[in-house]
């Protein structure tokens, strides 16, 4: 009876996707601020997320992820802080510089939806508005009365407000206009849609999009849907029912690059679906309503910090004066260093007021508000023996760290000291130390910085004499022993959990034990679906970026969330895998500007972009005096020191021996050289900021040690990263071994070496699929423990499963997937845990609709990289599995039907030798 | 003469470091014995700190004075240098660092404890896995870097053997060769092969793609040396040369031993591969007993058997005491000595010019030591009986190559052994130790197994104190048990006792008072040489 009934089946049936980007629903819940810094929240927004966790590239001495949170040790602020400030005026300035601070802030506001009856009593008006500033776009469509399926249709022309743009044939985008009215003092942006009461529109569906950030806003993770029920009803029912307008969730979709506080208390319809149930009972008529829901938007904000360094003539100390225009309470997390190594240490007291010792590795000082009220300041007096002042800033109430381009701020403080000052200092210093002796002892007796380590032996056996001294020593010793115990406990827990061969349980435990210390783990949300956006021929046209741009929305509507673009640099080979000048991004795929446009376009449709970066080797531009090509050109004009010394073809390399396998076509880069790593990190950083790449596909990572990869990923903080670790599987007498544990172990070893910061292509799974499908040996798809036999069976969250890529397939065909059986491969990887990657050639082939259907099954059942899998059959001619108890699948010609138990299975997709069921 | 360096600032220490190198070279040429015993570092501020009673903590010491290794260190008051073994699979078979996080935490803990360094097994089967001459040191380099960063010393054990326990076999290509040519492996009477290391009989036979195993070992050492040149002599301060099964100088005489039997049997002679038999035949012919050279002893018991179960090892009138027994045993044991001689001379020529000490391990085959024939030692290749000292010749050979000897089993006590086994680890240890002393071979200790039982710590402590203390100790081995609550505290206690016995007896306070003066006097100076 009720109109809502007819829309209900939409929840499951449709395979066609609507251009609705879906992202990361897992970050929807607003989480309370983490208790310790070791687990700063993942930043939910991409490109503009400039929150940085200070770990890794941050203050290295902070002790993140240590074996236990050290208590903050309060230190009495010494009175000399005030004197220091006075003295500041008279000193000479040694250093002055303003650093930009880039950060993000979350602005809170609300979205409201209002339905009013028009003045004439005939037509209705739907108003959608937002109280946050932004370039808001309403992306909307309608459902007709007799529609089946969840597809949208374009509204009739008369409904479209001015400025509307049609998107494909199913949606409209209408910009919101700044309204003359305001709401609680906030500006309001809104759009009005008139609805004729006699039209046969069942519902209006929409999502709100912020063009500035590319974010999409939904209603509790789904499309907004405003049912217009009266239009469905019989004449007899037009008048009568009086209520029943609800906002209720749309059918599919899990978009979420958003912080929708859907659970917030002021939302009226606590449970939309209940209301929906209720609405089925009665016959109702259209009634005006007004609902609102809070939204949060991430805004990028620029501030700055000014540093000046002076010498106080009175105390001969170096005074570092710091001021910033950050709006809220700021904590300076700081330390000093003695040389260029920038090794953090804690200076001796006195400290400025409001200073705490943080885990004995750094000091934390709360800055003072400026009198004018437009910022904060602090000053730090340092002894002259220190050469540098290191710090990062933290907003007190939030877990937001601000650093200098991914590095700690480093302020040189010791450049030009005159000897007279030093002499002056000597006379003063005894006095000072006398005064501060107590504090000093207090600090040192419990301190255990790394630096102490070197002195322990002396402490333990050399010093001792006076009895008082001995007690102190013992105290210090106790604290050291405590630290040792913590470390031992940490080592114990890891050793205990890691068995000689790798097992999934071990990883889970390990992961649980150690919360990832980084904001950016490079492994995304777990819901990623990758699209390899090119093949071996893509360079031929010379305008690939433009061609792909046209396909961006289509890829989004198919459900992809990440696209992998071809290597962008100047290259000796047209495909880009022989990079030469890393900073020249004009390639056979297009120009740097076209690339930027393409990335922007993908971001608009909420697809993140992986850059294909070749770090293993680099082609030289010039020959050296011996005629060997090993002198590089371009902005990174390295010489033979950057080439590994054992590279047999470019053997004049003066670098260290390679840490991995050699790639024989080009000089292998020596990643053990600091300058090489520094340059590459800068380059990756540049790619991130200049092009807007969200992550990396790392070429030929077999060539160098995974630990370096970790280094690069820590520095470039990708949203997602995947490495190509490709080596051959084990065969015995030409037959592939059933047990490919050694093969996947090598891949796991590499992932381990990167500290889990990157995933890896699951070459093992591809190889086993080959054998299983080609020879009809589906039993191979279960390992001895009944788990998937590839990397995905051991470490699903780091496995990027794939069927084909530009090397294995395309026109190269080095290791082509069994022909005609590709869909079985996709039925496997797109229903299984791991992060699936779909090859371009298959997307744009007759497989497209089937692949699209599989993706939508994956999305609507929220299958992710860590989903649970139960293999229910692995026999000669059929393999079947149930994933998350929600999806059942089989591949192979053999018979299989999932057992209906508590849940009922209904088939949703069937193709050649594969079939997929969902619970109903 | 002992020289200690006292620096006054960071910069000075760095310079001192360089100075040390030069000085170390110079003094070496002069033949004087110089040692950089310890570096004490204090800074300008130290006066204030000294008043406050704690003189360290907030200052960094980034470098330690280097310690030229060729020069033997007098036993300092710090006593024994303690190394903790890293897990056998610290670098996995696939050349990646295993449990890196755990090791990192463990290294830090050890450094804080004041342990001198760690021991790292480097496996032939990992580094030269795929093909001869194709070395991949990456995993080990990464690990050495980790150790270097923490500031620990590193003792490297070159393992030319495989380990079933750690699941690390010999190099793939060697195994393949072994399939074609089984006689490169030790073989017992029943034809059972021991595939965890090459037979010493082929040491100088070109069985490996035209090269002899000794040449291959040599290339390996050279590659190691060039790959780790920046660490050798600084971080890496010692290298153990693997000499056989489990790195020990012996025959794999217990390869067929079943684990179930409580009392280990006598083991079997491993002289039945083709090359060994050929050598035996030749030996029989040259000594005029061609018939004796046709095979091993026919009356030796089986692996698990007791000495008296057959006639060879019988206490009374056993064949071992017969002329035939002497013929066979002296041949069998001399091959082992010659094998060690070859490898140690290889090691000393490869590493002799670098500042590292060379070590090798001699096993403690203590089973049946209380019998007259010492059958377990005989099958393992040590011709050591009631009538004959079999270790003198080995100690002498170690001395020739200035090689230090690692003796495992320092945690074992006679009481801990089963009565029926007639074993005596303590007596055997004493015997080998005195042979070493006689020939001036320095002894390093090691515990026998991965798990030191409670009495074991007391035993270790005994061996590490007193006049004849071992000069270093290799504690085996880091892992889950090592850091477990039931073990780690005892280990900590051991280390603390070794490092600072004075902390536990108040009687020693007066000595400390005396010691105080020189410390105070030198802490302000720049660089001082102090003759002690």
């Amino acid at each position: 009876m009720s109109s809502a009934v007819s829309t209900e089946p939409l929840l499951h049936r449709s395979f066609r996707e609507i251009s609705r980007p879906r992202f990361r629903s897992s970050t929807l819940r607003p989480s309370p601020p983490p208790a310790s810094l070791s687990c700063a929240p993942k930043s939910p927004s991409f490109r503009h997320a400039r929150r940085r966790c200070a770990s890794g590239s941050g203050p290295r001495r902070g002790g993140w992820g240590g074996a236990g949170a050290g208590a903050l040790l309060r230190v009495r602020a010494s009175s000399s802080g005030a004197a220091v400030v006075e003295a500041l005026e008279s000193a000479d300035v040694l250093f002055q510089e303003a650093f930009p601070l880039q950060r993000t802030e979350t602005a809170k506001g609300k979205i409201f939806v209002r339905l009013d009856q028009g003045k004439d009593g005939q037509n209705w008006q739907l108003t959608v508005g937002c109280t946050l500033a932004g370039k808001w776009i309403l992306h909307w469509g309608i459902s007709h009365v007799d529609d089946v399926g969840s597809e949208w249709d374009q509204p009739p022309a008369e409904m479209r407000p001015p400025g509307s743009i049609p998107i494909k044939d199913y949606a409209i985008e209408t910009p919101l206009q700044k309204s003359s009215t305001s709401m609680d003092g906030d500006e309001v942006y809104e759009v009005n849609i008139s609805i004729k009461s006699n039209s046969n529109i069942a519902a209006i569906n929409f999502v709100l999009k912020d063009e500035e950030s590319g974010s999409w806003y939904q209603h509790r993770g789904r499309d907004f849907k405003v049912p217009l029920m009266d239009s469905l009803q019989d004449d007899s029912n037009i008048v009568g029912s009086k209520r029943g307008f609800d906002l209720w969730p749309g059918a599919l979709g899990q978009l979420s690059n958003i912080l929708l506080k859907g659970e917030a208390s002021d939302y009226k319809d606590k449970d939309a679906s209940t209301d929906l149930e209720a609405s089925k009972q009665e016959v109702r008529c259209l009634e005006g309503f007004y609902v609102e829901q809070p939204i949060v938007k991430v805004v990028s904000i620029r501030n700055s910090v000014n540093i000046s360094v002076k010498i106080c003539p009175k105390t001969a100390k170096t005074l570092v004066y710091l001021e910033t225009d950050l709006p809220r309470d700021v904590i300076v997390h700081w330390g000093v260093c003695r040389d260029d190594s920038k090794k953090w240490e804690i200076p001796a007291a006195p400290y400025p007021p409001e200073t705490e010792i943080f885990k004995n590795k750094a000091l934390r000082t709360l800055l003072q508000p400026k009198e004018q009220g437009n910022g904060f300041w602090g000053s730090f007096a340092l002894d002259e023996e220190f050469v540098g002042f290191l710090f990062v800033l933290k907003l007190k109430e939030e877990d937001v760290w601000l650093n200098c381009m991914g590095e700690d701020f480093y302020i040189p403080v010791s450049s030009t000291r005159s000897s007279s000052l030093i002499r002056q200092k000597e006379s003063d210093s005894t006095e000072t130390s006398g005064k501060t002796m107590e504090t000093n002892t207090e600090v040192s007796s419990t301190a255990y910085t790394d630096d102490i380590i070197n002195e322990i032996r002396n402490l333990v056996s050399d010093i001792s004499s006076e009895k008082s001294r001995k007690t102190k020593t013992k105290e210090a010793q106790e604290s050291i022993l405590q630290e040792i115990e913590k470390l031992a406990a940490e080592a114990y827990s890891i050793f205990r959990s890691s068995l000689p061969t790798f097992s999934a349980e071990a990883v889970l435990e390990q992961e649980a034990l150690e919360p990832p210390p980084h904001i950016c783990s490079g492994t995304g949300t777990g819901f990623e679906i990758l699209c390899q956006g090119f093949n071996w021929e893509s360079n031929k046209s010379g305008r690939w970026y433009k061609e792909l741009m046209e396909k961006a929305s289509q890829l989004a509507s198919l459900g992809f969330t990440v696209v992998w673009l071809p290597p962008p640099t100047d290259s000796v080979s047209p495909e880009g895998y022989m990079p030469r000048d890393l900073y020249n991004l004009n390639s056979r795929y297009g120009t740097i500007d076209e690339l930027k446009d393409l990335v922007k376009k993908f971001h608009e449709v909420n697809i993140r972009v992986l850059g294909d970066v070749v770090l293993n080797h680099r082609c030289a531009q010039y020959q050296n005096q011996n005629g060997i090509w090993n002198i590089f050109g371009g902005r990174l004009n390295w010489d033979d020191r950057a080439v590994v010394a054992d590279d047999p073809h470019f053997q004049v390399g003066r670098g260290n021996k390679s840490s991995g396998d050699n790639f024989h076509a080009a000089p292998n880069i020596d990643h053990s050289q600091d300058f090489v790593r520094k340059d590459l990190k800068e380059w990756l950083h540049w790619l991130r900021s200049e092009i807007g790449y969200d992550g990396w596909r790392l070429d030929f990572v077999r060539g160098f040690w995974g630990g370096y990869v970790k280094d690069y990923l820590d520095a470039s903080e990708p949203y997602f990263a995947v490495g190509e670790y490709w080596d051959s599987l084990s065969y015995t007498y030409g037959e592939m071994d059933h047990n490919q544990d050694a093969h996947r172990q090598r891949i796991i070893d590499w992932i381990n070496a990167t500290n889990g910061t990157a995933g890896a292509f699951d070459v093992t799974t591809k190889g086993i699929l080959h054998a299983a499908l080609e020879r009809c040996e589906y039993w191979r798809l279960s390992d001895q423990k009944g788990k998937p036999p590839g990397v995905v069976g051991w470490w699903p969250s780091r496995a990027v499963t794939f069927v084909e890529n530009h090397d294995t397939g395309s026109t190269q065909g080095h290791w082509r997937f069994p022909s005609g059986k590709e869909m079985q491969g996709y039925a496997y990887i797109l229903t299984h845990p791991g992060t699936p990657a779909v090859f371009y050639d298959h997307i744009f082939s007759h497989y497209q609709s089937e692949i699209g259907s599989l993706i939508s099954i994956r999305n609507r059942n929220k299958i992710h990289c860590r989903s649970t899998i139960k293999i229910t059959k692995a026999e000669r001619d059929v393999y079947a599995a149930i994933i998350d108890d929600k999806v059942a699948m089989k591949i192979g010609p053999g018979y299989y039907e999932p057992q209906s138990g508590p849940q009922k299975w209904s088939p949703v997709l069937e193709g050649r030798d594969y079939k997929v069921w969902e619970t109903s | 003469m002992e020289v200690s360096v006292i620096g006054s600032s960071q910069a000075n220490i760095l310079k001192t470091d360089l100075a040390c190198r030069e000085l170390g070279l110079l003094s070496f040429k002069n033949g004087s014995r110089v040692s950089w015993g310890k570096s004490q570092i204090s800074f300008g501020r130290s006066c204030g700190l000294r008043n406050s009673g704690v003189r360290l903590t907030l200052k960094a010491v980034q470098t330690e004075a280097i310690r030229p290794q060729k020069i033997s260190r007098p036993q300092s008051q710090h006593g024994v240098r303690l190394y903790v073994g890293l897990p056998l699979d610290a670098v996995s078979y696939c050349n990646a660092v295993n449990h890196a996080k755990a090791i990192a935490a463990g290294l830090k803990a050890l450094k804080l404890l004041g342990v001198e360094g760690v021991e790292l097994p480097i496996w032939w089967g990992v580094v030269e896995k795929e093909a001869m001459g194709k070395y991949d040191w990456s995993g080990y380099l990464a690990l050495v870097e980790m150790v270097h960063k923490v500031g620990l010393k590193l003792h490297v054990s070159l393992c030319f053997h495989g380990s079933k326990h750690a699941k690390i076999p010999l190099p793939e290509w060697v195994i393949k060769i072994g399939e074609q040519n089984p006689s490169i492996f030790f073989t017992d009477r029943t034809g059972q092969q021991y595939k965890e290391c090459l037979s010493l009989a082929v040491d100088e036979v070109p069985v490996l793609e035209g090269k002899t195993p000794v040449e291959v070992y040599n290339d390996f050492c050279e590659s190691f040396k060039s790959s780790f040149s920046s660490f050798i002599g600084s971080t890496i301060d010692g290298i153990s040369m693997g000499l056989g099964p489990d790195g020990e100088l012996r025959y794999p005489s217990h390869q067929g031993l079943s684990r179930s039997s409580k009392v280990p049997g006598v083991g079997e002679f491993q002289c039945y591969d083709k090359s060994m038999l050929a050598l035996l035949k030749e030996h029989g012919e040259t000594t005029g007993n061609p018939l004796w050279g046709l095979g091993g002893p026919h009356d030796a018991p089986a692996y698990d058997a007791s000495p008296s179960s057959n006639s060879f090892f019988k206490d009374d009138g056993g064949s071992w005491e017969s002329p035939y027994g002497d013929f066979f045993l002296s041949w069998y044991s001399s091959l082992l000595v010659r094998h060690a001689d070859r490898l140690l001379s290889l090691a000393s020529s490869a590493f002799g010019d670098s500042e590292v000490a060379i070590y090798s391990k001699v096993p403690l085959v203590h089973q049946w030591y209380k019998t007259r024939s010492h059958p377990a030692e005989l099958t393992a290749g040590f011709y050591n009986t009631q009538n004959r000292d079999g270790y003198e010749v080995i100690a002498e050979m170690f001395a020739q190559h200035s090689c230090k000897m690692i003796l495992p089993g320092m945690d074992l006590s006679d009481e801990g052994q089963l009565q029926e086994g007639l074993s005596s680890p303590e007596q055997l240890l004493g015997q080998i130790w005195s042979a070493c002393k006689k020939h001036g071979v320095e002894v390093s200790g090691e515990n026998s197994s991965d798990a030191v039982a409670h009495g074991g710590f007391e035993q270790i402590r005994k061996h590490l104190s007193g006049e004849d203390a071992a000069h270093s100790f290799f504690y085996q081995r880091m892992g889950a048990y090592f850091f477990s609550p039931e073990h780690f505290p005892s280990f900590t206690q051991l280390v603390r006792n070794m490092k600072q016995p004075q902390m536990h007896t108040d009687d020693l306070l007066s000595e400390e008072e005396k010691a105080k003066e020189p410390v105070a006097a030198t802490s302000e100076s720049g660089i001082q040489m102090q003759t002690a």
Side-chain angles (χ1 to χ4, degrees), chain A residues 516-556:
Chain A
H518 309 285
I519 280 184
C520 294
S521 66
T523 52
T525 60
F527 288 92
E528 280 74 22
I529 299 177
L530 248 75
C531 151
Q532 178 176 4
F534 65 101
N535 61 25
W536 198 246
E537 301 301 306
S538 298
N539 63 81
K540 297 283 195 299
S541 68
R543 50 190 298 280
W544 183 251
Y545 292 148
K546 283 184 176 162
E547 288 168 25
L548 194 59
M549 185 125 103
E550 291 159 19
K551 301 202 158 82
S553 323
Q554 195 184 352
L555 290 172

Side-chain angles (χ1 to χ4, degrees), chain A residues 338-339 343 345 383 385 437 441 444 453-456 460-462 477 481 492 498 514 659 749 755, chain B residues 40-41 45 52 57-59 61-62 92 94 96 99 101 111-112 138 142 480 484 496 500 502 512:
Chain A
R338 295 177 184 276
D339 52 39
K343 194 173 170 201
E345 55 182 281
D383 287 333
E385 66 208 60
M437 197 176 72
T441 313
S444 54
I453 295 175
N454 298 310
E455 286 277 3
I456 284 174
V460 163
S461 47
D462 287 359
Q477 245 185 323
L481 285 173
Y492 175 54
S498 53
E514 302 165 57
S659 54
D749 282 344
N755 240 347
Chain B
Q40 292 183 327
I41 293 145
R45 291 184 51 90
S52 72
T57 57
L58 298 177
K59 306 298 164 191
V61 180
Q62 290 207 319
S92 76
C94 313
H99 2 263
K101 272 185 192 162
K111 181 68 191 178
L112 280 165
S138 56
S484 67
R496 297 186 71 197
Q500 16 120 19
Q502 70 269 37
E512 289 169 15

Side-chain angles (χ1 to χ4, degrees), chain B residues 181-192:
Chain B
N181 179 12
S183 67
I184 64 171
F185 296 122
F186 286 113
T187 309
D188 68 10
R189 188 159 50 170
T190 61
Q192 188 183 348

Side-chain angles (χ1 to χ4, degrees), chain A residues 7 27 43 66 133 197 218 281 314 409 473 528 530 572 627 643 645 702 705 714 732 734 752 908:
Chain A
T7 58
T27 51
S43 170
S197 55
Q218 278 183 312
Q281 316 293 323
K314 268 193 224 152
F409 285 101
T473 312
E528 280 74 22
L530 248 75
V572 172
V643 178
R702 252 179 90 194
W705 178 48
D714 283 350
T732 307
N752 252 339
V908 284

Side-chain angles (χ1 to χ4, degrees), chain B residues 72-334:
Chain B
S72 79
R73 256 157 52 94
Q75 296 270 320
S76 69
Q77 68 181 77
H78 301 318
V80 183
R81 287 182 294 157
L82 182 67
Y83 295 79
V84 173
L86 291 172
L88 287 175
D89 60 347
V91 170
S92 76
Y93 185 53
C94 313
N95 228 319
V97 179
N98 260 340
H99 2 263
K101 272 185 192 162
I103 290 177
L107 289 176
K108 243 184 178 177
L110 294 180
K111 181 68 191 178
L112 280 165
L113 258 181
V115 164
E116 176 84 12
V118 289
E119 180 263 353
L120 169 67
I122 290 187
W123 300 91
W124 186 25
V126 171
V127 176
E128 201 177 351
K129 181 169 70 178
E130 287 171 17
M132 183 159 73
K134 194 178 168 208
Y135 306 103
D136 182 353
W137 299 100
S138 56
Y140 292 105
L141 277 166
L143 206 56
V144 174
E145 183 67 35
M146 276 169 73
V147 174
H148 170 73
K149 276 198 182 132
V150 176
L152 286 166
K153 293 290 176 197
L154 183 69
H155 180 97
V156 161
S157 301
L158 301 180
C159 302
F160 295 107
H161 60 277
S163 164
K164 273 193 184 137
H165 176 61
K167 296 201 175 108
I168 294 173
L170 290 182
E172 287 165 4
W173 59 277
V174 174
I175 294 174
K176 244 176 228 164
I177 291 171
E179 282 162 11
Q180 307 298 318
N181 179 12
S183 67
I184 64 171
F185 296 122
F186 286 113
T187 309
D188 68 10
R189 188 159 50 170
T190 61
Q192 188 183 348
Q193 290 176 345
Y194 178 81
K195 293 193 176 173
E196 305 297 325
C197 73
L198 297 184
S199 165
L200 54 82
V202 295
D203 272 351
E204 298 197 306
V205 184
V207 289
L208 301 177
E209 297 172 14
K211 285 196 177 186
T212 68
V214 168
E215 283 165 354
V216 171
Y217 300 152
N218 189 51
D219 292 348
F220 185 90
C221 291
E222 291 296 336
S223 171
F224 168 78
K225 199 167 104 176
S226 62
S227 302
F228 291 82
S229 56
S230 55
F231 296 106
I232 292 176
S234 51
T235 297
I236 298 175
D237 66 354
I239 294 173
S240 287
M241 191 71 187
L243 296 181
D246 295 326
E248 295 175 338
L249 175 64
R250 62 176 169 89
Y251 289 91
S253 52
H254 281 71
Q255 62 151 314
L257 211 58
S258 66
R259 302 256 156 180
S260 55
S261 61
K262 271 191 197 165
V263 181
V266 295
E268 289 192 18
F269 293 108
Q270 309 287 320
C271 57
Y272 296 89
D273 64 76
K274 256 199 235 155
S275 331
M276 284 291 271
L277 288 174
L279 289 172
L280 179 57
K281 187 156 179 268
E282 192 189 316
H283 179 63
E285 281 158 4
T286 49
T287 51
N289 294 302
L291 291 179
W292 285 358
L294 295 181
H298 62 93
D299 54 352
Y303 284 113
D304 291 345
S306 73
S308 51
S309 66
N310 209 332
S311 57
F312 192 83
F313 296 121
K314 269 190 183 154
D315 261 8
D316 278 325
S319 320
W320 62 275
E321 274 185 300
S322 70
Y324 167 74
D326 182 57
F327 158 84
F328 177 77
L329 292 171
S330 50
W331 167 78
Y332 188 69
S333 62
S334 69

